[in-house]
Amino acid sequence: MNEPTPRRTWPLYEVFVRGKRGLNHVHVGSLHAADDEMALHNARDVYTRRNEGVSIWVVRADLITASSPDEKDPFFAPSADKVYRHPTFYAIPDEVPHL
Amino acid sequence: MADTGTPATGTPDTAPHTGPGTGALEAGFDATVAADRRIEPRDWMPEGYRRTLIRQIAQHAHSEIIGMQPEGNWILRAPSLRRKAILLAKVQDEAGHGMYLYAAAETLGVDREDLTERLIDSRQKYSSIFNYPALSYADIGVIGWLVDGAAICNQVPLCRCSYGPYARAMIRICKEESFHQRQGYELLLAMVKGTDAQRTMVQESVDRWWWPSLMMFGPPDGDSPNTRQSMAWGIKRHTNDELRQRFVDMSVPQAAALGVTLPDADLRWNAERGAHDYGEPDWAEFKAVVSGSGPANAQRVAHRRRAHENGAWVREAAQAWADKQAARAARKDAA
Ligand SMILES: [Fe+2]
Ligand SMILES: [Fe+2]
């Protein structure tokens, strides 16, 4: 009993909240918890004290794969060079309604 | 996902600081700040910028956490269920503010446990204001009005801080602070409409809290060596004296509406400046309180330490439960 237990910090979770029906979940911050269920409870208490959300996602930060800023240019290039994905790419005569 | 501050490989601390690339990285950082865009956790940043932010955000988080104590002490003694419920909600908000800020600090590569250790070992500071005791129930009103009011003056410009996670935490916090200030002011309005004894109690409280509230903005500009650098980095938007002036100008009509006197013989409107002149806070007192000899420093830190240590078994039990559940799930997987 006397041997000091090495301090283990609870894992870091990232928290995402859906503000209301019809909106995407948005990242709001992070917290620590011993397990997924506790993370969800803590997220409710920390991030939704005033009805800020109708749904919460928590995910362990070490399970997230992220692009890094250095990769940014090549990584996001495919969307930047495909202007035809945007509606403004297409010229439509002004007389044509509802387009 | 780049803004989650996920400590994946290449945490910010291990990003290259020297070598041939630094010049370009630094130029990129400077350009982002100059364009009033935000720096995000995985971006390159100067070491001094990171250190300054860690210190400031940690101190800010500690202030929210320690700030629960003077008011928490009055929850059971609040005079009605309505006032108890309000005070409880306010104190709970302050805990939340501390959590938002610790989360923001962690995106800079520090560990939350470590920050708590630094607080309870008195290696990191918190706002000097919380080293004054809340002696009467009128203090609950005055703290909301003046202390949260001063905090709002300090915090609103931080919503545009160059460091994204800090700015976003401040936006959440500022939304909640307005309730804090209004409930305090409303409490005082009720008291000044009451008996002479209540009015006297309010005035006595204002007399004690006014000067410490002015000190919340920090030392005068001439004695604040880090301000210039913080402003260049877009961490700070206004000097201490600018914010203090704003607070004085806001508070004067609010005090008049309550019918209380602010305890400063030099306080008067200066038409030429379009602002109030006011007296000099006692900076010797400020330095003493910041460096540990305020009326309640020892008590505040000891209480925080006790709460942390008394909570150890809860943390251990939660961990043991999580371990057991994980082991059970692993056995089920294997079977
Ligand atoms: Fe707060
Ligand atoms: Fe507050």
Side-chain angles (χ1 to χ4, degrees):
Chain A
M1 280 305 277
N2 287 334
E3 65 193 59
T5 45
R7 196 182 70 188
R8 264 175 68 198
T9 44
W10 291 347
L12 182 69
Y13 284 80
E14 299 293 344
V15 181
F16 302 78
V17 170
R18 184 196 296 287
K20 56 182 177 194
R21 288 173 180 283
L23 298 181
N24 286 317
H25 285 76
V26 171
H27 180 247
V28 293
S30 66
L31 48 77
H32 289 265
D35 57 30
D36 297 356
E37 200 188 330
M38 183 196 238
L40 210 48
H41 283 137
N42 289 354
R44 181 200 58 195
D45 292 346
V46 176
Y47 291 104
T48 62
R49 285 192 303 285
R50 286 178 177 75
N51 302 319
E52 288 96 334
V54 294
S55 160
I56 302 174
W57 289 346
V58 290
V59 58
R60 273 181 63 151
D62 57 7
L63 297 178
I64 294 176
T65 307
S67 73
S68 76
D70 304 342
E71 296 171 322
K72 189 172 165 183
D73 285 339
F75 194 75
F76 291 101
S79 63
D81 65 6
K82 291 180 178 62
V83 285
Y84 47 83
R85 284 178 170 164
H86 298 278
T88 45
F89 181 77
Y90 303 94
I92 307 285
D94 287 345
E95 314 79 81
V96 183
H98 307 304
L99 254 176
Chain B
M1 293 309 304
D3 70 339
T4 61
T6 306
T9 53
T11 54
D13 265 345
T14 57
H17 302 125
T18 50
T22 310
L25 292 168
E26 188 142 24
F29 171 87
D30 290 344
T32 304
V33 172
D36 204 14
R37 282 185 287 130
R38 300 290 172 262
I39 303 297
E40 296 296 345
R42 291 156 59 97
D43 293 344
W44 183 91
M45 61 187 85
E47 251 335 280
Y49 179 82
R50 181 187 306 280
R51 259 200 320 274
T52 300
L53 277 169
I54 290 174
R55 197 187 56 230
Q56 180 171 336
I57 300 172
Q59 279 185 17
H60 195 160
H62 298 332
S63 302
E64 303 284 355
I65 295 298
I66 295 288
M68 288 191 280
Q69 292 185 37
E71 291 174 293
N73 197 27
W74 282 89
I75 292 172
L76 291 177
R77 287 181 277 174
S80 67
L81 184 58
R82 176 176 182 270
R83 296 288 174 193
K84 273 191 227 294
I86 291 171
L87 189 53
L88 193 59
K90 180 189 189 278
V91 171
Q92 192 190 18
D93 271 355
E94 305 300 4
H97 297 177
M99 297 300 116
Y100 305 156
L101 288 162
Y102 284 130
E106 280 187 312
T107 65
L108 291 157
V110 287
D111 173 59
R112 195 179 301 211
E113 276 285 306
D114 196 50
L115 295 179
T116 299
E117 298 285 334
R118 287 192 224 178
L119 170 64
I120 61 182
D121 290 343
S122 294
R123 283 180 289 134
Q124 269 179 343
K125 296 185 165 82
Y126 52 87
S127 175
S128 58
I129 193 79
F130 301 116
N131 289 317
Y132 293 88
L135 300 175
S136 79
Y137 182 66
D139 286 10
I140 297 309
V142 171
I143 289 172
W145 171 37
L146 294 178
V147 175
D148 287 86
I152 291 171
C153 281
N154 266 329
Q155 289 170 347
V156 166
L158 287 172
C159 296
R160 293 184 295 126
C161 168
S162 61
Y163 188 58
Y166 191 28
R168 292 192 286 275
M170 293 317 306
I171 290 170
R172 294 186 78 86
I173 288 175
C174 284
K175 274 187 196 156
E176 301 182 355
E177 288 294 352
S178 149
F179 140 60
H180 297 180
Q181 195 186 20
R182 289 172 69 100
Q183 64 81 34
Y185 195 81
E186 187 227 39
L187 189 164
L188 295 176
L189 274 176
M191 284 187 84
V192 298
K193 284 182 204 143
T195 63
D196 281 344
Q198 284 175 307
R199 275 185 288 277
T200 305
M201 196 190 274
V202 171
Q203 182 63 57
E204 188 273 338
S205 174
V206 171
D207 291 345
R208 276 184 292 111
W209 288 96
W210 175 249
W211 291 107
S213 300
L214 290 192
M215 294 176 197
M216 285 175 69
F217 298 92
D221 293 350
D223 195 19
S224 178
N226 301 324
T227 292
R228 182 197 287 267
Q229 179 62 74
S230 275
M231 288 178 79
W233 276 332
I235 296 174
K236 245 178 131 141
R237 299 280 174 170
H238 307 281
T239 70
N240 296 350
D241 286 333
E242 284 167 7
L243 293 169
R244 192 163 14 243
Q245 179 73 58
R246 192 176 290 181
F247 175 69
V248 170
D249 292 336
M250 276 171 37
S251 300
V252 168
Q254 294 168 351
L258 284 174
V260 295
T261 313
L262 298 174
D264 179 357
D266 297 323
L267 183 65
R268 63 180 58 84
W269 177 250
N270 181 330
E272 226 166 89
R273 288 202 306 124
H276 290 86
D277 291 337
Y278 59 96
E280 195 72 26
D282 181 350
W283 294 117
E285 175 181 319
F286 173 72
K287 282 197 179 121
V289 174
V290 166
S291 55
S293 40
N297 294 59
Q299 179 191 334
R300 298 286 184 246
V301 174
H303 184 86
R304 180 69 192 91
R305 170 182 289 282
R306 212 162 39 240
H308 186 66
E309 288 171 356
N310 289 347
W313 73 269
V314 180
R315 295 190 293 275
E316 283 159 20
Q319 185 65 60
W321 170 255
D323 290 346
K324 194 169 147 189
Q325 294 303 107
R328 194 170 286 170
R331 267 201 311 278
K332 211 179 262 173
D333 272 355

